[in-house]
Amino acid sequence: MSDVDTTGTHPLENTWTLWYDSKRTVKPDAVSWEDNLQMVQMIASVEEFWAMSNIIKKPSALELGANYHFFKKGVKPMWEDEANKAGGKWVINLTAHTDLYNLDGVWEELLMGIIGEYLDEGIDGNHIVGCVLGKRRNLAKLAVWTNDATAVEQLKVLGAKIKSALSVTATMEYHVHADESHEAAIKL
Ligand code: MGP
């Protein structure tokens, strides 16, 4: 994050967009999955980040079947996007047996790590494209999307940094978007 600018705000290194979709708000005329994605807000400064956090529902209050997608400006939260085509995601499932009790704290920490760009600091390349939170029954699915699924060594370091920054005990799996077998490419 950089210093205060002339408007008195703290600009972020990148601008980010929050998207939302939910099983409850599926449009009857939707022809594709993308049609149900709603763009909620763009944030470009620390102040806008906290304003957004104060307004939107905390993950613990989100309905089942809802998802938040928080992505770099210009990148749609979809496999098909140019920035995601060759990528994949680190997935962490928070369950009642692991970290679900602290869902709001874990999500806030993840977002702060992403806007503060410290999760992939020191790792060769800019890997993180965005993250997703999916609220399901007795489960919250977190995913950190990255742009290059072939960078295995960097992804392992990144995964360990995410796990440590979020202080989660759950196991993590890396899934390649293009791999239809849905098997984990890396496990931590
Ligand atoms: P999901 O939400 O990534 O999986 O995708 P999850 O959370 O394991 O499954 P859920 O049933 O608990 O929601 C669920 C479904 O949404 C996929 O099978 C696709 O039909 C659709 N979908 C999700 N994503 C991220 C995309 C995408 O990027 N592109 C397209 N075309 N469809 C998607």
Side-chain angles (χ1 to χ4, degrees):
M1 274 173 251
S2 48
D3 294 332
V4 177
D5 69 6
T6 50
T7 61
T9 59
H10 299 74
L12 303 175
E13 253 175 78
N14 283 289
T15 299
W16 300 86
T17 309
L18 181 73
W19 306 75
Y20 164 87
D21 77 289
S22 174
K23 289 224 159 71
R24 273 207 211 153
T25 54
V26 167
K27 296 177 189 158
D29 57 345
V31 287
S32 70
W33 179 79
E34 185 182 357
D35 290 343
N36 291 309
L37 278 176
Q38 297 173 36
M39 202 216 270
V40 179
Q41 198 171 342
M42 265 209 257
I43 61 152
S45 69
V46 175
E47 288 75 8
E48 285 173 2
F49 172 74
W50 288 115
M52 177 194 81
S53 302
N54 288 333
I55 292 169
I56 62 168
K57 276 188 188 169
K58 300 276 181 229
S60 57
L62 265 189
E63 70 274 18
L64 300 181
N67 303 290
Y68 279 147
H69 314 256
F70 188 75
F71 277 69
K72 224 171 239 184
K73 183 183 168 192
V75 179
K76 283 193 179 159
M78 306 178 62
W79 316 310
E80 294 90 340
D81 191 285
E82 214 42 59
N84 296 319
K85 264 184 180 164
K89 56 183 179 182
W90 268 117
V91 178
I92 314 172
N93 286 337
L94 307 185
T95 68
H97 300 293
T98 56
D99 313 282
L100 195 56
Y101 73 94
N102 189 26
L103 172 60
D104 295 346
V106 172
W107 177 242
E108 188 172 286
E109 196 64 50
L110 178 57
L111 293 185
M112 288 197 303
I114 286 183
I115 62 167
E117 317 261 348
Y118 58 76
L119 293 173
D120 54 7
E121 211 170 52
I123 302 174
D124 193 23
N126 289 317
H127 292 270
I128 296 180
V129 192
C131 64
V132 181
L133 165 99
K135 189 79 182 291
R136 304 288 183 272
R137 189 168 299 282
N138 300 322
L139 179 72
K141 297 180 178 188
L142 293 186
V144 178
W145 285 39
T146 71
N147 53 16
D148 179 5
T150 65
V152 175
E153 289 315 310
Q154 288 96 323
L155 289 173
K156 283 182 185 166
V157 179
L158 176 66
K161 285 185 83 171
I162 293 170
K163 195 167 184 172
S164 150
L166 304 187
S167 303
V168 289
T169 56
T171 52
M172 294 173 60
E173 292 189 347
Y174 189 84
H175 291 267
V176 180
H177 295 317
D179 180 359
E180 285 173 10
S181 77
H182 300 297
E183 282 183 18
I186 317 172
K187 289 187 185 178
L188 272 186

